[in-house]
């Protein structure tokens, strides 16, 4: 928390430690979570941390700058990236992803499978948990009748990123794609794959169905669904009782209206023709009834 508050007032620059003679990279996500402004990496090593860095800054027209979320800049807001805590103005999200098929994943004869990972704060990060079955068709594989991958609660969507990984049967990466949560929308989507340089791999892509919505606690799910579709959550007895109540109300209203209608009809019957006017001749005229404010054309 102190480091987060420090970065609200000062600039922080993080860089690899000198003894890293192999030029490998550290995990930059934990420093982004604390609001560090400059997180330096070894660009000569295209490992997973470098791929995260390239994917994160791809969605601002590759300008190299991203605005931090508001809760990481307000002095009165307390944020701890290592605890599952609600933040003012931030709504948790629920994500479901169904991998349907792949297109032109590899020109080699090999098995392929798709793995999904989530990077964010400690409670949102998910790795090596969601993966499809191995398919032997590497050109146009299809994953049918598989359950969607569910991320039930993403506490801070503004800091979360989803990573698609396509591996062959030997465990080698064919392609990958990193997409920030704030750029993900519900619907059927084609996800074009990238290599370790974050460059497109020809026509290689994944066809997926994504469903993203606000997180609702399980104990409040029935109540929320009832607000969206009240009729679907009424029992048969409740529906019959409501029907009987509506019929009773309608009958009572008819009992109140009938005397008024009769009185209105009597008013028209008692109208007499004026002197010198042929009783046989009927002249159209408009009269106001006693039944509400309706007006209709009558002949007297």
């Amino acid at each position: 928390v102190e480091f987060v508050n420090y970065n609200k007032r000062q600039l922080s620059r993080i860089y690899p430690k000198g003894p890293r003679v192999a030029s490998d990279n550290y995990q930059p996500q934990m420093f982004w979570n604390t609001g560090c402004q400059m997180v330096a990496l070894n660009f000569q090593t295209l490992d997973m941390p470098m791929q995260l860095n390239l994917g994160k800054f791809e969605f601002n027209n590759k300008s190299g700058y991203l605005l931090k979320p508001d809760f990481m800049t307000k002095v009165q807001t307390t944020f701890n990236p290592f605890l599952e805590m609600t933040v003012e103005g931030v709504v948790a999200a629920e994500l479901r992803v169904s991998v349907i098929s792949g297109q032109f994943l590899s020109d080699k004869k090999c098995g392929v499978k798709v793995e999904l990972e989530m990077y964010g704060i400690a409670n949102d990060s998910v790795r090596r948990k969601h993966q499809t079955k191995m398919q032997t068709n590497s050109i146009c594989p299809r994953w049918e009748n598989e359950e969607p991958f569910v991320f039930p609660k993403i506490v801070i969507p503004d800091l979360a990123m989803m990573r698609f990984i396509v591996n062959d049967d030997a465990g080698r990466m064919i392609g990958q794609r990193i997409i920030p949560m704030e750029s993900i929308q519900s619907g059927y989507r084609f996800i074009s794959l990238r290599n370790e340089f974050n460059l497109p791999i020809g026509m290689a892509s994944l066809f997926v169905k994504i469903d993203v919505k606000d997180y609702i606690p399980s104990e409040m799910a029935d109540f929320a669904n009832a607000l969206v579709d009240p009729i679907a959550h009424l029992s048969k007895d409740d529906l019959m009782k409501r029907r009987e109540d509506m019929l009773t109300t309608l009958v009572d209203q008819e009992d109140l209206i009938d005397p008024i209608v009769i009185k209105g009809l009597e008013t028209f019957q008692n109208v007499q023709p004026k002197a010198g006017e042929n009783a046989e001749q009927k002249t159209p005229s408009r009269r106001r009834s006693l039944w509400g404010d309706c007006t209709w054309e009558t002949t007297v």
Side-chain angles (χ1 to χ4, degrees):
V1 177
E2 294 180 0
F3 197 22
V4 175
N5 293 333
Y6 173 84
N7 288 323
K8 294 178 181 179
R9 308 182 306 272
Q10 307 291 336
L11 289 175
S12 297
R13 176 178 178 268
I14 313 298
Y15 54 91
K17 193 174 181 180
R20 287 178 178 265
V21 294
S23 294
D24 55 339
N25 287 307
Y26 54 85
Q27 175 58 263
Q29 184 68 48
M30 61 182 300
F31 296 103
W32 293 332
N33 294 342
T34 56
C36 295
Q37 290 83 2
M38 293 179 287
V39 182
L41 297 175
N42 290 313
F43 267 62
Q44 68 270 25
T45 305
L46 296 170
D47 50 5
M48 189 273 296
M50 191 62 211
Q51 295 170 15
L52 281 179
N53 183 82
L54 294 174
K56 182 178 181 66
F57 290 96
E58 177 186 0
F59 285 86
N60 191 24
N61 201 21
K62 298 182 179 180
S63 62
Y65 294 90
L66 291 174
L67 288 177
K68 294 195 296 185
D70 291 340
F71 62 86
M72 301 185 74
T73 59
K74 294 181 179 179
V75 178
Q76 64 273 18
T77 304
T78 301
F79 171 62
N80 189 340
F82 298 100
L83 296 178
E84 182 177 353
M85 56 182 297
T86 57
V87 180
E88 181 181 358
V90 179
V91 180
E94 177 183 348
L95 178 66
R96 292 174 177 266
V97 181
S98 299
V99 180
I100 301 174
S101 63
Q103 293 77 38
F104 307 103
L105 298 183
S106 176
D107 56 356
K108 300 178 181 179
K109 186 177 181 180
C110 61
V112 292
K113 67 176 181 178
V114 181
E115 185 176 354
L116 267 69
E117 297 179 343
M118 183 68 68
Y119 294 87
I121 64 173
N123 289 279
D124 293 342
S125 298
V126 178
R127 298 186 61 186
R128 299 183 178 89
K129 180 179 179 181
H130 301 302
Q131 59 182 3
T132 63
K133 297 179 181 178
M134 186 72 68
Q135 295 292 332
T136 56
N137 183 359
S138 61
I139 301 296
C140 295
R142 298 180 62 182
W143 289 274
E144 299 178 348
N145 302 323
E146 289 200 16
E147 294 295 326
F149 302 133
V150 181
F151 300 87
K153 185 179 181 181
I154 304 173
V155 182
I156 309 294
D158 294 342
L159 296 176
M161 294 188 296
M162 183 170 61
R163 185 185 187 216
F164 293 86
I165 313 164
V166 179
N167 295 322
D168 60 12
D169 48 11
R172 294 184 296 266
M173 187 185 75
I174 298 176
Q176 57 88 31
R177 187 66 187 273
I178 296 173
I179 305 176
M181 266 296 298
E182 57 184 354
S183 301
I184 296 176
Q185 297 181 354
S186 298
Y188 291 91
R189 309 290 178 187
F190 278 100
I191 308 296
S192 60
L193 297 178
R194 306 292 176 88
N195 58 15
E196 61 271 14
F197 297 93
N198 202 42
L199 297 176
I201 311 176
M203 296 184 294
S205 62
L206 294 174
F207 183 52
V208 301
K209 180 184 178 183
I210 297 176
D211 182 17
V212 56
K213 57 185 178 180
D214 294 340
Y215 167 75
I216 299 176
S218 56
E219 59 271 12
M220 300 293 293
D222 292 339
F223 178 71
N225 293 332
L227 291 177
V228 175
D229 191 359
I231 296 180
H233 287 74
L234 289 176
S235 63
K236 185 176 180 180
D237 295 338
D238 292 336
L239 289 174
M240 293 301 296
K241 186 177 183 303
R242 289 174 62 87
R243 180 176 179 275
E244 293 175 358
D245 293 341
M246 294 175 65
L247 290 175
T248 303
T249 304
L250 182 61
V251 171
D252 293 341
Q253 291 178 353
E254 290 179 351
D255 293 341
L256 295 175
I257 291 174
D258 284 344
I260 301 177
V261 176
I262 295 174
K263 186 176 180 181
L265 294 175
E266 292 175 351
T267 302
F268 288 113
Q269 292 175 359
N270 293 333
V271 175
Q272 298 296 329
K274 297 179 180 179
E277 186 179 13
N278 187 358
E280 299 295 333
Q281 182 181 3
K282 297 181 179 180
T283 305
S285 63
R286 301 188 69 86
R287 295 187 179 275
R288 185 169 296 277
S289 72
L290 299 180
W291 187 7
D293 292 330
C294 298
T295 303
W296 61 82
E297 188 175 12
T298 61
T299 58
V300 294

